[in-house]
Amino acid sequence: MTTQPIRFYQTGTFTVGNRLLPDSERSAQANMRRTNSLNSGHRACQGCGEALGARYAIDAAMQASGNRVIAVNATGCLEVFSTPYPETSWQIPWMHSLFGNASAVAAGVAAAMRIKNKKDVRVIAQGGDGGTTDIGFGCLSGMFERNDDVLYICYDNEAYMNTGVQRSSATPPAARTATTMAVGAHPGNVFGTGKNLPLIAMAHHIPYVATASVANLRDLEAKVTRAMSIRGSRYIHIHVPCPLGWGSQPADTIRIARLAVESGLFPLFEAEQGEVTGRYQLRRRVPVEEYLRLQRRFAHLFGSTPDAKTVAAIQAMADRNIRTFGLAVEAVV
Ligand SMILES: Cc1ncc(C[n+]2csc(CCOP(=O)(O)OP(=O)(O)O)c2C)c(N)n1
Ligand code: SF4
């Protein structure tokens, strides 16, 4: 088949761009034989970033492994909306662990596969940010330290959504949740707390760490595919807007995810053995205000008494990310 040079933006569309690419470069979602791992009929809210991220991630993992994936799922929205017993939307071998031990259960499944000499069967553990950065953190760190052959995927919607939007250690500063200050001079989550799980994962020197976003699904698929080509512990942290918890319009999910990336608040990068090996550079840089204004959890920053100081502090966080990860186009020659 003859091919023609194509422009970057053409490949972002599944209807047109993929037909212009050689088979090997087409997205998993454009493949008619994709698994549809997380099938229709589940009960996620309209515009749920987590449902979208999980479908793309697991379909890409299935494609990369010749459909040999077992997934272990922590308690949380993804588990609850996909699998109201006795129904399930999963089309793959899938197991519900406890809230805090998905990585330990997955490590056990991987060990069982090794003992049974089924090394072609690959194991994925997945959960929300609460299940990952808080209650599951010890088990996850242990899995990294042992370098168990598991890909862990965290779907970060920045709070405990399944139980009614409580703060997690991944909730950003100033965001209002059901358990952060509702009133006062500085309502919302406090500054200076929380955890950056991708950086903590890198500190374990595991083979592969990446961040991804539903704003860039080709990049997400590529990172899952890369992770599946590696043995040992791997970690992917996916930013997934949650219309219910963030107070945003369901139709704005991708727009908001894109603004998080383009403002520098959610840097996209890859790291191997603790060293950053790739980053997504920002062709268009937007002020954080564009991202914050679309979400009611930040509405108190823009009301009748705007809180410019807090917005400036959030802007400073984005600017720091841009410097730290070299995201500005002019940063790399
Ligand atoms: C030991 C334990 N504590 C609390 C709960 C209740 N619980 C179930 S899901 C959940 C929140 C999940 O939040 P997160 O991991 O961030 O995932 P999300 O729902 O946001 O995707 C909580 C607190 C539980 N199932 N088990
Ligand atoms: S609460 Fe949020 S994460 Fe949960 S299903 Fe709804 S949109 Fe998705």
Side-chain angles (χ1 to χ4, degrees), residues 249-285:
Q249 291 300 316
D252 280 342
T253 291
I254 300 301
R255 186 175 165 207
I256 289 172
R258 189 172 298 134
L259 289 171
V261 172
E262 289 179 346
S263 63
L265 276 178
F266 192 84
L268 296 182
F269 64 92
E270 293 177 281
E272 297 192 18
Q273 309 289 352
E275 263 182 64
V276 175
T277 53
R279 80 266 297 150
Y280 177 79
Q281 291 198 292
L282 306 177
R283 275 192 292 272
R284 188 178 86 100
R285 222 170 127 175

PDB file of all heavy atoms in Angstrom, residues 249-285:
ATOM      1  N   GLN A 249     -19.304  20.688  33.053  1.00  0.00           N
ATOM      2  CA  GLN A 249     -20.250  20.166  32.066  1.00  0.00           C
ATOM      3  C   GLN A 249     -19.704  18.851  31.494  1.00  0.00           C
ATOM      4  O   GLN A 249     -18.526  18.788  31.124  1.00  0.00           O
ATOM      5  CB  GLN A 249     -20.426  21.167  30.914  1.00  0.00           C
ATOM      6  CG  GLN A 249     -21.153  22.431  31.325  1.00  0.00           C
ATOM      7  CD  GLN A 249     -22.550  22.135  31.843  1.00  0.00           C
ATOM      8  OE1 GLN A 249     -23.290  21.343  31.271  1.00  0.00           O
ATOM      9  NE2 GLN A 249     -22.899  22.736  32.966  1.00  0.00           N
ATOM     10  N   PRO A 250     -20.550  17.808  31.374  1.00  0.00           N
ATOM     11  CA  PRO A 250     -20.072  16.552  30.787  1.00  0.00           C
ATOM     12  C   PRO A 250     -19.432  16.754  29.410  1.00  0.00           C
ATOM     13  O   PRO A 250     -18.425  16.119  29.092  1.00  0.00           O
ATOM     14  CB  PRO A 250     -21.352  15.713  30.681  1.00  0.00           C
ATOM     15  CG  PRO A 250     -22.244  16.245  31.765  1.00  0.00           C
ATOM     16  CD  PRO A 250     -21.941  17.718  31.869  1.00  0.00           C
ATOM     17  N   ALA A 251     -19.968  17.709  28.637  1.00  0.00           N
ATOM     18  CA  ALA A 251     -19.426  17.920  27.286  1.00  0.00           C
ATOM     19  C   ALA A 251     -18.043  18.573  27.327  1.00  0.00           C
ATOM     20  O   ALA A 251     -17.353  18.644  26.317  1.00  0.00           O
ATOM     21  CB  ALA A 251     -20.384  18.790  26.468  1.00  0.00           C
ATOM     22  N   ASP A 252     -17.638  19.079  28.506  1.00  0.00           N
ATOM     23  CA  ASP A 252     -16.348  19.778  28.616  1.00  0.00           C
ATOM     24  C   ASP A 252     -15.201  18.881  29.095  1.00  0.00           C
ATOM     25  O   ASP A 252     -14.098  19.373  29.347  1.00  0.00           O
ATOM     26  CB  ASP A 252     -16.473  20.953  29.601  1.00  0.00           C
ATOM     27  CG  ASP A 252     -17.113  22.171  28.938  1.00  0.00           C
ATOM     28  OD1 ASP A 252     -17.133  22.229  27.697  1.00  0.00           O
ATOM     29  OD2 ASP A 252     -17.596  23.044  29.681  1.00  0.00           O
ATOM     30  N   THR A 253     -15.447  17.594  29.270  1.00  0.00           N
ATOM     31  CA  THR A 253     -14.418  16.721  29.865  1.00  0.00           C
ATOM     32  C   THR A 253     -13.079  16.792  29.121  1.00  0.00           C
ATOM     33  O   THR A 253     -12.022  16.997  29.736  1.00  0.00           O
ATOM     34  CB  THR A 253     -14.930  15.261  29.917  1.00  0.00           C
ATOM     35  OG1 THR A 253     -15.976  15.212  30.888  1.00  0.00           O
ATOM     36  CG2 THR A 253     -13.842  14.276  30.321  1.00  0.00           C
ATOM     37  N   ILE A 254     -13.114  16.659  27.809  1.00  0.00           N
ATOM     38  CA  ILE A 254     -11.855  16.659  27.047  1.00  0.00           C
ATOM     39  C   ILE A 254     -11.233  18.058  27.052  1.00  0.00           C
ATOM     40  O   ILE A 254     -10.017  18.215  27.198  1.00  0.00           O
ATOM     41  CB  ILE A 254     -12.101  16.174  25.596  1.00  0.00           C
ATOM     42  CG1 ILE A 254     -12.660  14.752  25.599  1.00  0.00           C
ATOM     43  CG2 ILE A 254     -10.815  16.244  24.780  1.00  0.00           C
ATOM     44  CD1 ILE A 254     -11.776  13.721  26.258  1.00  0.00           C
ATOM     45  N   ARG A 255     -12.099  19.072  26.925  1.00  0.00           N
ATOM     46  CA  ARG A 255     -11.601  20.456  26.932  1.00  0.00           C
ATOM     47  C   ARG A 255     -10.868  20.754  28.239  1.00  0.00           C
ATOM     48  O   ARG A 255      -9.774  21.333  28.244  1.00  0.00           O
ATOM     49  CB  ARG A 255     -12.816  21.379  26.764  1.00  0.00           C
ATOM     50  CG  ARG A 255     -12.490  22.829  26.614  1.00  0.00           C
ATOM     51  CD  ARG A 255     -13.777  23.584  26.340  1.00  0.00           C
ATOM     52  NE  ARG A 255     -13.611  25.003  26.519  1.00  0.00           N
ATOM     53  CZ  ARG A 255     -14.587  25.834  26.850  1.00  0.00           C
ATOM     54  NH1 ARG A 255     -15.815  25.353  27.039  1.00  0.00           N
ATOM     55  NH2 ARG A 255     -14.365  27.114  26.971  1.00  0.00           N
ATOM     56  N   ILE A 256     -11.450  20.338  29.348  1.00  0.00           N
ATOM     57  CA  ILE A 256     -10.835  20.594  30.654  1.00  0.00           C
ATOM     58  C   ILE A 256      -9.526  19.812  30.802  1.00  0.00           C
ATOM     59  O   ILE A 256      -8.512  20.335  31.264  1.00  0.00           O
ATOM     60  CB  ILE A 256     -11.839  20.238  31.784  1.00  0.00           C
ATOM     61  CG1 ILE A 256     -12.967  21.268  31.796  1.00  0.00           C
ATOM     62  CG2 ILE A 256     -11.162  20.154  33.135  1.00  0.00           C
ATOM     63  CD1 ILE A 256     -14.108  20.936  32.733  1.00  0.00           C
ATOM     64  N   ALA A 257      -9.546  18.552  30.369  1.00  0.00           N
ATOM     65  CA  ALA A 257      -8.309  17.745  30.437  1.00  0.00           C
ATOM     66  C   ALA A 257      -7.212  18.402  29.604  1.00  0.00           C
ATOM     67  O   ALA A 257      -6.043  18.462  30.006  1.00  0.00           O
ATOM     68  CB  ALA A 257      -8.589  16.329  29.946  1.00  0.00           C
ATOM     69  N   ARG A 258      -7.601  18.931  28.429  1.00  0.00           N
ATOM     70  CA  ARG A 258      -6.602  19.566  27.553  1.00  0.00           C
ATOM     71  C   ARG A 258      -6.044  20.830  28.208  1.00  0.00           C
ATOM     72  O   ARG A 258      -4.842  21.098  28.145  1.00  0.00           O
ATOM     73  CB  ARG A 258      -7.257  19.891  26.200  1.00  0.00           C
ATOM     74  CG  ARG A 258      -6.256  20.351  25.148  1.00  0.00           C
ATOM     75  CD  ARG A 258      -6.903  20.473  23.787  1.00  0.00           C
ATOM     76  NE  ARG A 258      -7.404  19.208  23.301  1.00  0.00           N
ATOM     77  CZ  ARG A 258      -8.609  19.030  22.757  1.00  0.00           C
ATOM     78  NH1 ARG A 258      -9.429  20.034  22.624  1.00  0.00           N
ATOM     79  NH2 ARG A 258      -8.977  17.830  22.328  1.00  0.00           N
ATOM     80  N   LEU A 259      -6.927  21.607  28.864  1.00  0.00           N
ATOM     81  CA  LEU A 259      -6.457  22.837  29.510  1.00  0.00           C
ATOM     82  C   LEU A 259      -5.516  22.520  30.680  1.00  0.00           C
ATOM     83  O   LEU A 259      -4.580  23.273  30.951  1.00  0.00           O
ATOM     84  CB  LEU A 259      -7.657  23.667  29.985  1.00  0.00           C
ATOM     85  CG  LEU A 259      -8.476  24.316  28.859  1.00  0.00           C
ATOM     86  CD1 LEU A 259      -9.764  24.918  29.404  1.00  0.00           C
ATOM     87  CD2 LEU A 259      -7.652  25.378  28.126  1.00  0.00           C
ATOM     88  N   ALA A 260      -5.763  21.396  31.363  1.00  0.00           N
ATOM     89  CA  ALA A 260      -4.854  20.996  32.450  1.00  0.00           C
ATOM     90  C   ALA A 260      -3.460  20.741  31.893  1.00  0.00           C
ATOM     91  O   ALA A 260      -2.444  21.122  32.485  1.00  0.00           O
ATOM     92  CB  ALA A 260      -5.394  19.751  33.153  1.00  0.00           C
ATOM     93  N   VAL A 261      -3.396  20.103  30.725  1.00  0.00           N
ATOM     94  CA  VAL A 261      -2.094  19.814  30.101  1.00  0.00           C
ATOM     95  C   VAL A 261      -1.468  21.105  29.566  1.00  0.00           C
ATOM     96  O   VAL A 261      -0.302  21.418  29.838  1.00  0.00           O
ATOM     97  CB  VAL A 261      -2.265  18.792  28.951  1.00  0.00           C
ATOM     98  CG1 VAL A 261      -0.966  18.640  28.161  1.00  0.00           C
ATOM     99  CG2 VAL A 261      -2.716  17.445  29.512  1.00  0.00           C
ATOM    100  N   GLU A 262      -2.273  21.896  28.855  1.00  0.00           N
ATOM    101  CA  GLU A 262      -1.713  23.078  28.162  1.00  0.00           C
ATOM    102  C   GLU A 262      -1.347  24.211  29.123  1.00  0.00           C
ATOM    103  O   GLU A 262      -0.576  25.089  28.776  1.00  0.00           O
ATOM    104  CB  GLU A 262      -2.699  23.578  27.104  1.00  0.00           C
ATOM    105  CG  GLU A 262      -2.795  22.612  25.922  1.00  0.00           C
ATOM    106  CD  GLU A 262      -3.781  23.055  24.863  1.00  0.00           C
ATOM    107  OE1 GLU A 262      -4.591  23.954  25.141  1.00  0.00           O
ATOM    108  OE2 GLU A 262      -3.737  22.478  23.762  1.00  0.00           O
ATOM    109  N   SER A 263      -1.908  24.173  30.322  1.00  0.00           N
ATOM    110  CA  SER A 263      -1.537  25.196  31.311  1.00  0.00           C
ATOM    111  C   SER A 263      -0.277  24.777  32.072  1.00  0.00           C
ATOM    112  O   SER A 263       0.341  25.589  32.750  1.00  0.00           O
ATOM    113  CB  SER A 263      -2.685  25.411  32.302  1.00  0.00           C
ATOM    114  OG  SER A 263      -2.920  24.213  33.025  1.00  0.00           O
ATOM    115  N   GLY A 264       0.066  23.488  31.985  1.00  0.00           N
ATOM    116  CA  GLY A 264       1.225  22.984  32.738  1.00  0.00           C
ATOM    117  C   GLY A 264       0.825  22.379  34.071  1.00  0.00           C
ATOM    118  O   GLY A 264       1.673  21.847  34.791  1.00  0.00           O
ATOM    119  N   LEU A 265      -0.459  22.431  34.426  1.00  0.00           N
ATOM    120  CA  LEU A 265      -0.863  21.869  35.719  1.00  0.00           C
ATOM    121  C   LEU A 265      -0.728  20.354  35.730  1.00  0.00           C
ATOM    122  O   LEU A 265      -0.462  19.754  36.768  1.00  0.00           O
ATOM    123  CB  LEU A 265      -2.308  22.271  36.044  1.00  0.00           C
ATOM    124  CG  LEU A 265      -2.484  23.639  36.685  1.00  0.00           C
ATOM    125  CD1 LEU A 265      -3.956  23.947  36.914  1.00  0.00           C
ATOM    126  CD2 LEU A 265      -1.717  23.749  38.007  1.00  0.00           C
ATOM    127  N   PHE A 266      -0.968  19.712  34.576  1.00  0.00           N
ATOM    128  CA  PHE A 266      -0.783  18.251  34.515  1.00  0.00           C
ATOM    129  C   PHE A 266       0.246  17.944  33.423  1.00  0.00           C
ATOM    130  O   PHE A 266      -0.088  17.788  32.257  1.00  0.00           O
ATOM    131  CB  PHE A 266      -2.110  17.529  34.244  1.00  0.00           C
ATOM    132  CG  PHE A 266      -1.983  16.042  34.462  1.00  0.00           C
ATOM    133  CD1 PHE A 266      -2.122  15.492  35.736  1.00  0.00           C
ATOM    134  CD2 PHE A 266      -1.663  15.192  33.402  1.00  0.00           C
ATOM    135  CE1 PHE A 266      -1.963  14.129  35.941  1.00  0.00           C
ATOM    136  CE2 PHE A 266      -1.496  13.827  33.610  1.00  0.00           C
ATOM    137  CZ  PHE A 266      -1.656  13.299  34.876  1.00  0.00           C
ATOM    138  N   PRO A 267       1.528  17.867  33.803  1.00  0.00           N
ATOM    139  CA  PRO A 267       2.577  17.619  32.798  1.00  0.00           C
ATOM    140  C   PRO A 267       2.534  16.178  32.285  1.00  0.00           C
ATOM    141  O   PRO A 267       2.328  15.247  33.069  1.00  0.00           O
ATOM    142  CB  PRO A 267       3.875  17.883  33.567  1.00  0.00           C
ATOM    143  CG  PRO A 267       3.525  17.784  35.008  1.00  0.00           C
ATOM    144  CD  PRO A 267       2.056  18.025  35.165  1.00  0.00           C
ATOM    145  N   LEU A 268       2.701  16.027  30.984  1.00  0.00           N
ATOM    146  CA  LEU A 268       2.755  14.678  30.401  1.00  0.00           C
ATOM    147  C   LEU A 268       4.210  14.311  30.180  1.00  0.00           C
ATOM    148  O   LEU A 268       4.930  15.006  29.455  1.00  0.00           O
ATOM    149  CB  LEU A 268       2.000  14.644  29.062  1.00  0.00           C
ATOM    150  CG  LEU A 268       0.499  14.919  29.104  1.00  0.00           C
ATOM    151  CD1 LEU A 268      -0.110  14.806  27.704  1.00  0.00           C
ATOM    152  CD2 LEU A 268      -0.203  13.958  30.056  1.00  0.00           C
ATOM    153  N   PHE A 269       4.645  13.216  30.809  1.00  0.00           N
ATOM    154  CA  PHE A 269       6.040  12.807  30.638  1.00  0.00           C
ATOM    155  C   PHE A 269       6.185  11.297  30.812  1.00  0.00           C
ATOM    156  O   PHE A 269       5.253  10.620  31.260  1.00  0.00           O
ATOM    157  CB  PHE A 269       6.960  13.561  31.623  1.00  0.00           C
ATOM    158  CG  PHE A 269       6.694  13.249  33.072  1.00  0.00           C
ATOM    159  CD1 PHE A 269       7.390  12.227  33.725  1.00  0.00           C
ATOM    160  CD2 PHE A 269       5.759  13.970  33.790  1.00  0.00           C
ATOM    161  CE1 PHE A 269       7.154  11.940  35.066  1.00  0.00           C
ATOM    162  CE2 PHE A 269       5.504  13.688  35.131  1.00  0.00           C
ATOM    163  CZ  PHE A 269       6.208  12.664  35.770  1.00  0.00           C
ATOM    164  N   GLU A 270       7.340  10.794  30.444  1.00  0.00           N
ATOM    165  CA  GLU A 270       7.684   9.374  30.642  1.00  0.00           C
ATOM    166  C   GLU A 270       9.018   9.314  31.365  1.00  0.00           C
ATOM    167  O   GLU A 270       9.862  10.204  31.195  1.00  0.00           O
ATOM    168  CB  GLU A 270       7.882   8.660  29.302  1.00  0.00           C
ATOM    169  CG  GLU A 270       6.650   8.513  28.461  1.00  0.00           C
ATOM    170  CD  GLU A 270       7.005   7.859  27.128  1.00  0.00           C
ATOM    171  OE1 GLU A 270       7.518   8.563  26.253  1.00  0.00           O
ATOM    172  OE2 GLU A 270       6.767   6.654  26.975  1.00  0.00           O
ATOM    173  N   ALA A 271       9.210   8.251  32.135  1.00  0.00           N
ATOM    174  CA  ALA A 271      10.487   8.078  32.829  1.00  0.00           C
ATOM    175  C   ALA A 271      10.847   6.597  32.860  1.00  0.00           C
ATOM    176  O   ALA A 271       9.974   5.742  33.005  1.00  0.00           O
ATOM    177  CB  ALA A 271      10.386   8.622  34.251  1.00  0.00           C
ATOM    178  N   GLU A 272      12.133   6.309  32.682  1.00  0.00           N
ATOM    179  CA  GLU A 272      12.605   4.922  32.784  1.00  0.00           C
ATOM    180  C   GLU A 272      13.691   4.860  33.842  1.00  0.00           C
ATOM    181  O   GLU A 272      14.586   5.701  33.869  1.00  0.00           O
ATOM    182  CB  GLU A 272      13.102   4.429  31.423  1.00  0.00           C
ATOM    183  CG  GLU A 272      11.947   4.421  30.429  1.00  0.00           C
ATOM    184  CD  GLU A 272      12.225   3.682  29.126  1.00  0.00           C
ATOM    185  OE1 GLU A 272      13.168   2.877  29.079  1.00  0.00           O
ATOM    186  OE2 GLU A 272      11.479   3.935  28.163  1.00  0.00           O
ATOM    187  N   GLN A 273      13.589   3.886  34.729  1.00  0.00           N
ATOM    188  CA  GLN A 273      14.550   3.708  35.833  1.00  0.00           C
ATOM    189  C   GLN A 273      14.777   5.016  36.580  1.00  0.00           C
ATOM    190  O   GLN A 273      15.892   5.352  36.955  1.00  0.00           O
ATOM    191  CB  GLN A 273      15.893   3.162  35.297  1.00  0.00           C
ATOM    192  CG  GLN A 273      15.790   1.936  34.406  1.00  0.00           C
ATOM    193  CD  GLN A 273      15.404   0.659  35.165  1.00  0.00           C
ATOM    194  OE1 GLN A 273      15.343   0.650  36.385  1.00  0.00           O
ATOM    195  NE2 GLN A 273      15.107  -0.397  34.443  1.00  0.00           N
ATOM    196  N   GLY A 274      13.737   5.799  36.764  1.00  0.00           N
ATOM    197  CA  GLY A 274      13.843   7.018  37.560  1.00  0.00           C
ATOM    198  C   GLY A 274      14.284   8.258  36.817  1.00  0.00           C
ATOM    199  O   GLY A 274      14.383   9.325  37.413  1.00  0.00           O
ATOM    200  N   GLU A 275      14.547   8.128  35.507  1.00  0.00           N
ATOM    201  CA  GLU A 275      15.000   9.296  34.746  1.00  0.00           C
ATOM    202  C   GLU A 275      13.971   9.685  33.711  1.00  0.00           C
ATOM    203  O   GLU A 275      13.464   8.809  32.977  1.00  0.00           O
ATOM    204  CB  GLU A 275      16.292   8.947  33.991  1.00  0.00           C
ATOM    205  CG  GLU A 275      17.543   9.373  34.705  1.00  0.00           C
ATOM    206  CD  GLU A 275      18.767   9.025  33.869  1.00  0.00           C
ATOM    207  OE1 GLU A 275      18.913   9.576  32.769  1.00  0.00           O
ATOM    208  OE2 GLU A 275      19.536   8.164  34.329  1.00  0.00           O
ATOM    209  N   VAL A 276      13.682  10.975  33.611  1.00  0.00           N
ATOM    210  CA  VAL A 276      12.702  11.437  32.614  1.00  0.00           C
ATOM    211  C   VAL A 276      13.284  11.200  31.218  1.00  0.00           C
ATOM    212  O   VAL A 276      14.403  11.619  30.908  1.00  0.00           O
ATOM    213  CB  VAL A 276      12.369  12.935  32.817  1.00  0.00           C
ATOM    214  CG1 VAL A 276      11.458  13.433  31.697  1.00  0.00           C
ATOM    215  CG2 VAL A 276      11.697  13.144  34.169  1.00  0.00           C
ATOM    216  N   THR A 277      12.506  10.506  30.377  1.00  0.00           N
ATOM    217  CA  THR A 277      12.995  10.182  29.035  1.00  0.00           C
ATOM    218  C   THR A 277      12.175  10.849  27.938  1.00  0.00           C
ATOM    219  O   THR A 277      12.544  10.817  26.769  1.00  0.00           O
ATOM    220  CB  THR A 277      12.960   8.657  28.807  1.00  0.00           C
ATOM    221  OG1 THR A 277      11.634   8.191  29.115  1.00  0.00           O
ATOM    222  CG2 THR A 277      13.969   7.934  29.670  1.00  0.00           C
ATOM    223  N   GLY A 278      11.031  11.405  28.299  1.00  0.00           N
ATOM    224  CA  GLY A 278      10.208  12.056  27.282  1.00  0.00           C
ATOM    225  C   GLY A 278       9.209  12.975  27.938  1.00  0.00           C
ATOM    226  O   GLY A 278       8.819  12.783  29.088  1.00  0.00           O
ATOM    227  N   ARG A 279       8.850  14.024  27.232  1.00  0.00           N
ATOM    228  CA  ARG A 279       7.830  14.940  27.748  1.00  0.00           C
ATOM    229  C   ARG A 279       7.039  15.466  26.563  1.00  0.00           C
ATOM    230  O   ARG A 279       7.537  15.494  25.434  1.00  0.00           O
ATOM    231  CB  ARG A 279       8.447  16.097  28.548  1.00  0.00           C
ATOM    232  CG  ARG A 279       9.021  17.223  27.772  1.00  0.00           C
ATOM    233  CD  ARG A 279      10.497  17.108  27.511  1.00  0.00           C
ATOM    234  NE  ARG A 279      11.294  17.120  28.745  1.00  0.00           N
ATOM    235  CZ  ARG A 279      12.446  16.502  28.866  1.00  0.00           C
ATOM    236  NH1 ARG A 279      12.927  15.780  27.849  1.00  0.00           N
ATOM    237  NH2 ARG A 279      13.132  16.567  29.979  1.00  0.00           N
ATOM    238  N   TYR A 280       5.782  15.871  26.852  1.00  0.00           N
ATOM    239  CA  TYR A 280       4.929  16.460  25.833  1.00  0.00           C
ATOM    240  C   TYR A 280       5.063  17.964  25.942  1.00  0.00           C
ATOM    241  O   TYR A 280       4.670  18.565  26.939  1.00  0.00           O
ATOM    242  CB  TYR A 280       3.476  16.032  26.057  1.00  0.00           C
ATOM    243  CG  TYR A 280       2.491  16.654  25.101  1.00  0.00           C
ATOM    244  CD1 TYR A 280       2.341  16.153  23.804  1.00  0.00           C
ATOM    245  CD2 TYR A 280       1.710  17.733  25.499  1.00  0.00           C
ATOM    246  CE1 TYR A 280       1.441  16.728  22.923  1.00  0.00           C
ATOM    247  CE2 TYR A 280       0.803  18.310  24.621  1.00  0.00           C
ATOM    248  CZ  TYR A 280       0.681  17.805  23.342  1.00  0.00           C
ATOM    249  OH  TYR A 280      -0.218  18.385  22.481  1.00  0.00           O
ATOM    250  N   GLN A 281       5.658  18.574  24.921  1.00  0.00           N
ATOM    251  CA  GLN A 281       5.908  20.011  25.009  1.00  0.00           C
ATOM    252  C   GLN A 281       4.696  20.816  24.564  1.00  0.00           C
ATOM    253  O   GLN A 281       3.902  20.363  23.738  1.00  0.00           O
ATOM    254  CB  GLN A 281       7.129  20.352  24.185  1.00  0.00           C
ATOM    255  CG  GLN A 281       8.371  19.760  24.842  1.00  0.00           C
ATOM    256  CD  GLN A 281       9.625  20.391  24.359  1.00  0.00           C
ATOM    257  OE1 GLN A 281       9.978  20.213  23.209  1.00  0.00           O
ATOM    258  NE2 GLN A 281      10.281  21.130  25.219  1.00  0.00           N
ATOM    259  N   LEU A 282       4.588  22.004  25.154  1.00  0.00           N
ATOM    260  CA  LEU A 282       3.369  22.792  24.980  1.00  0.00           C
ATOM    261  C   LEU A 282       3.492  23.745  23.789  1.00  0.00           C
ATOM    262  O   LEU A 282       4.253  24.710  23.835  1.00  0.00           O
ATOM    263  CB  LEU A 282       3.099  23.585  26.264  1.00  0.00           C
ATOM    264  CG  LEU A 282       3.061  22.729  27.532  1.00  0.00           C
ATOM    265  CD1 LEU A 282       2.862  23.595  28.761  1.00  0.00           C
ATOM    266  CD2 LEU A 282       1.951  21.687  27.445  1.00  0.00           C
ATOM    267  N   ARG A 283       2.729  23.409  22.757  1.00  0.00           N
ATOM    268  CA  ARG A 283       2.715  24.291  21.584  1.00  0.00           C
ATOM    269  C   ARG A 283       1.954  25.569  21.908  1.00  0.00           C
ATOM    270  O   ARG A 283       2.260  26.636  21.438  1.00  0.00           O
ATOM    271  CB  ARG A 283       2.026  23.588  20.404  1.00  0.00           C
ATOM    272  CG  ARG A 283       2.940  22.697  19.610  1.00  0.00           C
ATOM    273  CD  ARG A 283       2.272  22.279  18.329  1.00  0.00           C
ATOM    274  NE  ARG A 283       1.143  21.391  18.589  1.00  0.00           N
ATOM    275  CZ  ARG A 283       1.238  20.078  18.698  1.00  0.00           C
ATOM    276  NH1 ARG A 283       2.407  19.511  18.541  1.00  0.00           N
ATOM    277  NH2 ARG A 283       0.177  19.343  18.932  1.00  0.00           N
ATOM    278  N   ARG A 284       0.914  25.413  22.751  1.00  0.00           N
ATOM    279  CA  ARG A 284       0.070  26.554  23.118  1.00  0.00           C
ATOM    280  C   ARG A 284      -0.008  26.562  24.632  1.00  0.00           C
ATOM    281  O   ARG A 284      -0.373  25.562  25.233  1.00  0.00           O
ATOM    282  CB  ARG A 284      -1.321  26.324  22.528  1.00  0.00           C
ATOM    283  CG  ARG A 284      -2.261  27.494  22.644  1.00  0.00           C
ATOM    284  CD  ARG A 284      -3.578  27.149  21.975  1.00  0.00           C
ATOM    285  NE  ARG A 284      -4.475  26.446  22.871  1.00  0.00           N
ATOM    286  CZ  ARG A 284      -5.497  27.013  23.524  1.00  0.00           C
ATOM    287  NH1 ARG A 284      -5.755  28.278  23.343  1.00  0.00           N
ATOM    288  NH2 ARG A 284      -6.277  26.311  24.313  1.00  0.00           N
ATOM    289  N   ARG A 285       0.389  27.648  25.243  1.00  0.00           N
ATOM    290  CA  ARG A 285       0.372  27.709  26.707  1.00  0.00           C
ATOM    291  C   ARG A 285      -0.790  28.567  27.156  1.00  0.00           C
ATOM    292  O   ARG A 285      -0.948  29.685  26.678  1.00  0.00           O
ATOM    293  CB  ARG A 285       1.692  28.344  27.148  1.00  0.00           C
ATOM    294  CG  ARG A 285       2.294  27.674  28.334  1.00  0.00           C
ATOM    295  CD  ARG A 285       3.678  28.201  28.524  1.00  0.00           C
ATOM    296  NE  ARG A 285       3.843  28.680  29.880  1.00  0.00           N
ATOM    297  CZ  ARG A 285       4.987  29.104  30.369  1.00  0.00           C
ATOM    298  NH1 ARG A 285       6.051  29.124  29.617  1.00  0.00           N
ATOM    299  NH2 ARG A 285       5.054  29.505  31.609  1.00  0.00           N
TER     300      ARG A 285
END
